[in-house]
Amino acid sequence: MTSSTTSPEPAAPAHPGHPRPTRLYGPAIARDPDALYAELRHRYGPVAPVLLDGDIPAWFVLGYREVNHVTSNPRLFARDCRRWNAWDLVPDDWPLMPYVGWTPSVMFAEGPEHRRRAGAIGDALDAADRTELTNLCVAICDRLIDGFSGNGEADLIAEYSAQITLQVMARLFGLPEADIPALVQDVADSLDVAEKAVAAHQRIHARMQDLVRTKARRPGLDVPSRLIAHPAGLSEDEIVIDLLVVLAAAQQPVGNWIGNTLRLMLVDDRFSMSLQGGRGSITQALNEVLWETTPTQNFIGRWAVHDCMLGEQRIRRGDLLVLGFAAANTDPQVCPRSRSAQNPDANRAHMSFGHGEHGCPFPGPELGELIARTSVEVLLDRLPDVEIAVRPETLEWRPSLWMRGLFALPVRFSPAADDDLLSYDPDLFEEDELD
Ligand code: HEM
């Protein structure tokens, strides 16, 4: 077999379960994820022995059936990271610590405790009125577009897709309008700027704590107030940490879903021919992105509860399994049949929202789609002649194996005149609460 720059040869250092693991980190590894997955599949089958940053051993689950099996069986593959048998190898400043460092949040809860937490989150989010949410999202998108529509050019990632979700979530949380810009900046710093990340995270935590205390005194029609009143009887600390999880879980995936869909519609003739055409093509593009350039391409993960076999590999109790959602979606064993050639839109059996007890909880996928669809529709309505401003092959994906999103999406369009700017219903931005 030939090797490629996207995927190095199997590495020498030891993996307790396999003599020739592959390093899953380094500058080239995320450059062409599809080629990487194909090569790992060819080399090892549906479950690959890998070394994460710093040569920490793990299993990378690539097969659709295997991802389905792991996520469907929480008694065999559980979520509490304290089960890990490799903790003694992991330094405190490990770059992947944000994904594996235990916190008392819904993410690492299991069984009845997980159902109590996830059920309350689902109920609190589900109470949001979808029409009001759509109107709010339209107003947020219009306001962002007003900020650049006079220029005739924009970067649709920095100036648009990366901004929308947090602004919607902040309103769902009942945060005062004046606090939102600082929150947006802190969340950006906590994700992107290493030296600012810790302080930014502390400020976000403090802001959520203040918010929960304020809502306990003066409840409103918002997510924190509903969590406080929920029969699950959540403590203040539980609510604060789960609000942080919801914020982080929504922000990047939805932002990248919007950005990846706009990219597809702008670079692919099947969509650009019908940019103004229609809602139908937006549905198709949103779904196609979830199959082919899904926002959460890989996810850490699950930990084996017992010794077992998975895809011909011997897994030991406490081993870490990385879920390869993007690889599962394009698994050649399943893909041709799972995506009907006649009607690819109809098939939503991708793994992009995870699966099983810890999959993206109802109504996360629905709210994510509402925000993503509205954002794409508003942009195409407002800028009907929008076109990509660079050669499509020069667009750069962020070099992450975990999230799939572009650095930038430069576009140009006919500049709007001042009187094309929209005026808003000020109530949408001045009310403290979103029903
Ligand atoms: C408003 C939008 C969203 C909200 C509020 C939300 C919320 C959440 C929460 C709370 C979790 C943790 C679940 C648990 O551990 O029990 C989660 C997991 C997850 N979400 Fe979402 N999410 C949203 C949108 C999305 C989108 C757009 C995607 C990808 C397209 C996505 C993909 C995932 C994945 C892959 C997981 C992990 C699944 C697993 O472990 O099996 N989410 N989400």
Side-chain angles (χ1 to χ4, degrees), residues 107 114 249-250 253 257 290 299 302 325 352-355 358-361 364:
M107 292 283 280
H114 177 259
W257 195 4
L290 293 185
F299 184 75
R302 301 290 192 271
F325 296 133
S352 296
F353 293 112
H355 183 63
H358 274 276
C360 188

Side-chain angles (χ1 to χ4, degrees), residues 7 22 24 47 62 90 112 173 232 277 293 320 348 383 412 431:
S7 151
T22 290
L24 209 57
V47 179
L62 300 149
V90 178
F173 282 17
T293 51
L320 164 60
R348 307 263 170 136
L383 307 175
R412 59 179 163 244
E431 268 177 14

Side-chain angles (χ1 to χ4, degrees), residues 19 29 97 116 134 158 173 182 205 207 211 249 255 264 266 284 294 297 320 348 400 406-408:
I29 199 77
M97 197 55 98
R116 183 176 80 94
T134 305
F173 282 17
H205 189 281
R207 195 169 280 118
L211 180 68
L264 177 65
L266 290 165
Q284 188 183 338
T294 195
Q297 48 179 345
L320 164 60
R348 307 263 170 136
S400 165
L406 292 170
F407 273 117

Side-chain angles (χ1 to χ4, degrees), residues 71 79 106-107 114 118 121 125 169 245-246 249-250 253-254 257 290 294-296 299 302 323 325 352-355 357-361 364-365 367-368 371:
T71 50
R79 196 57 198 112
V106 61
M107 292 283 280
H114 177 259
I121 293 171
L125 288 170
M169 297 308 291
V245 166
V246 170
V254 182
W257 195 4
L290 293 185
T294 195
T296 309
F299 184 75
R302 301 290 192 271
L323 302 174
F325 296 133
S352 296
F353 293 112
H355 183 63
E357 208 166 278
H358 274 276
C360 188
L367 298 186
I371 299 169

Side-chain angles (χ1 to χ4, degrees), residues 120 123-129 172 219-231 234 239 434-435:
D123 290 344
L125 288 170
D126 192 32
D129 181 284
L172 273 179
L221 298 167
D222 50 58
V223 173
S225 301
R226 291 188 196 108
L227 287 175
I228 293 165
H230 197 276
L234 301 168
I239 295 173
L434 179 72
D435 190 351

